[in-house]
């Protein structure tokens, strides 16, 4: 199975900050990497697919980059509604696997 | 609009089975895979498997092999996930999610149900 490791596990930031979350795969997954946002009590929401493609309707302050084993999710200017937990997920092979999550909290 | 509507919360005893449904609307049901993902309280997301509604073919995570069965009824655009021999650590929210494996080169889960809470307790 491909292991996905996110860092940091938690992060405190302020509105307006630029934030970067990192995801590392245990083997190369090309660009088969997706990012999801989850708020408490809600289902995950797709933000980025194929490492860098922005899902329709997602604000442009979200961006993704990387290929191979190292990937990043960047939020250019944090908004109050962005405080949530973020997960990366590989779709290179089965079983599909998720990172452990990064909890983004208000400083 | 595209949506997935899941069945209601369940409370089961250890050793029992649970069957969760996921009704799709707003798109061609057989054109996309259906994934099942669960989340234990306070924990992360765990992929359980998928079903190809067109063929009925399935792919289960090794962890759930022998305990999980994913089926579909194309006449009512509904997917099902049945988990047997329930244990207390199966207590979780179970999500269905539409997968693009059948429809695009990039593979991702773009539409999610609201989740079904399954509680396993004696």
């Amino acid at each position: 199975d491909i292991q996905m490791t996110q860092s940091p596990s938690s992060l405190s930031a302020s509105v307006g900050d630029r934030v970067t979350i990192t995801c590392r795969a245990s083997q190369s997954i090309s660009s088969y990497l997706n990012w999801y946002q989850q708020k408490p009590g809600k289902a995950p929401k797709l933000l980025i697919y194929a490492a860098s493609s922005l899902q329709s309707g997602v604000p442009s302050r979200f961006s993704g980059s990387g290929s191979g084993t190292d990937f990043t999710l960047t939020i250019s200017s944090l908004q109050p509604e962005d405080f949530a937990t973020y997960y990366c997920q590989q779709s290179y092979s089965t079983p599909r696997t998720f990172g452990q999550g990064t909890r983004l909290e208000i400083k | 609009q595209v949506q997935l509507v899941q069945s209601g919360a369940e409370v089961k005893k250890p050793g029992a089975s649970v069957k969760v449904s996921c009704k799709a609307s707003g798109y061609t049901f057989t054109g996309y895979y259906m994934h099942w993902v669960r989340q234990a309280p306070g924990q992360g997301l765990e992929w359980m498997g998928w079903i190809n509604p067109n063929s009925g073919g399935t792919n289960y995570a090794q962890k759930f092999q022998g305990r999980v069965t994913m089926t579909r009824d194309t006449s009512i655009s509904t997917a099902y996930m049945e988990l047997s021999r329930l244990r207390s650590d199966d207590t979780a929210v179970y999500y269905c999610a539409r997968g693009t494996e059948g429809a695009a080169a990039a593979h991702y889960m773009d539409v999610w149900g609201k989740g079904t809470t399954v509680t396993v307790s004696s």
Side-chain angles (χ1 to χ4, degrees), chain B residues 37-40 44-46 48 63-64 83 89-90 92-94:
Chain B
V37 175
R38 77 176 187 178
Q39 186 171 39
L45 302 169
E46 180 175 33
M48 299 180 69
K63 175 177 178 176
F64 300 102
L83 189 62
D89 61 358
D90 291 317
V93 177
Y94 290 76

Side-chain angles (χ1 to χ4, degrees), chain B residues 3-107:
Chain B
Q3 64 177 348
L4 301 174
V5 177
Q6 297 187 226
S7 50
E10 303 264 12
V11 179
K12 297 291 183 182
K13 293 194 182 303
S17 297
V18 68
K19 190 171 186 177
V20 179
S21 67
C22 172
K23 182 171 178 58
S25 61
Y27 72 98
T28 302
F29 179 64
T30 53
Y32 295 80
Y33 284 26
M34 192 70 76
H35 296 258
W36 290 89
V37 175
R38 77 176 187 178
Q39 186 171 39
Q43 302 302 306
L45 302 169
E46 180 175 33
W47 184 79
M48 299 180 69
W50 77 35
I51 182 168
N52 177 347
N54 188 42
S55 66
T58 56
N59 187 323
Y60 302 144
Q62 182 71 25
K63 175 177 178 176
F64 300 102
Q65 288 275 1
R67 282 209 304 143
V68 71
T69 305
M70 296 178 188
T71 57
R72 91 292 190 214
D73 184 339
T74 57
S75 68
I76 55 171
S77 300
T78 300
Y80 302 92
M81 186 285 298
E82 183 170 22
L83 189 62
S84 64
R85 303 193 300 277
L86 289 168
R87 306 184 292 254
S88 59
D89 61 358
D90 291 317
T91 294
V93 177
Y94 290 76
Y95 294 102
C96 59
R98 189 179 80 163
T100 61
E101 282 81 358
H107 300 161

Side-chain angles (χ1 to χ4, degrees), chain A residues 32 34 36 38 41-46 49-50 55 87 89 91 94-100, chain B residues 35 37 39 43-47 50 59 61 95 101 105-110 112-115:
Chain A
Y32 290 92
N34 308 310
Y36 301 87
Q38 187 180 34
K42 300 295 187 182
K45 172 187 173 183
L46 177 68
Y49 64 92
Q55 172 67 348
Y87 294 93
Q89 176 247 327
S91 58
T94 57
R96 300 292 194 241
T97 46
F98 292 86
Q100 81 278 17
Chain B
H35 296 258
V37 175
Q39 186 171 39
Q43 302 302 306
L45 302 169
E46 180 175 33
W47 184 79
W50 77 35
N59 187 323
Y95 294 102
E101 282 81 358
H107 300 161
Y108 47 91
M109 303 173 210
D110 65 342
W112 292 64
K114 292 184 185 294

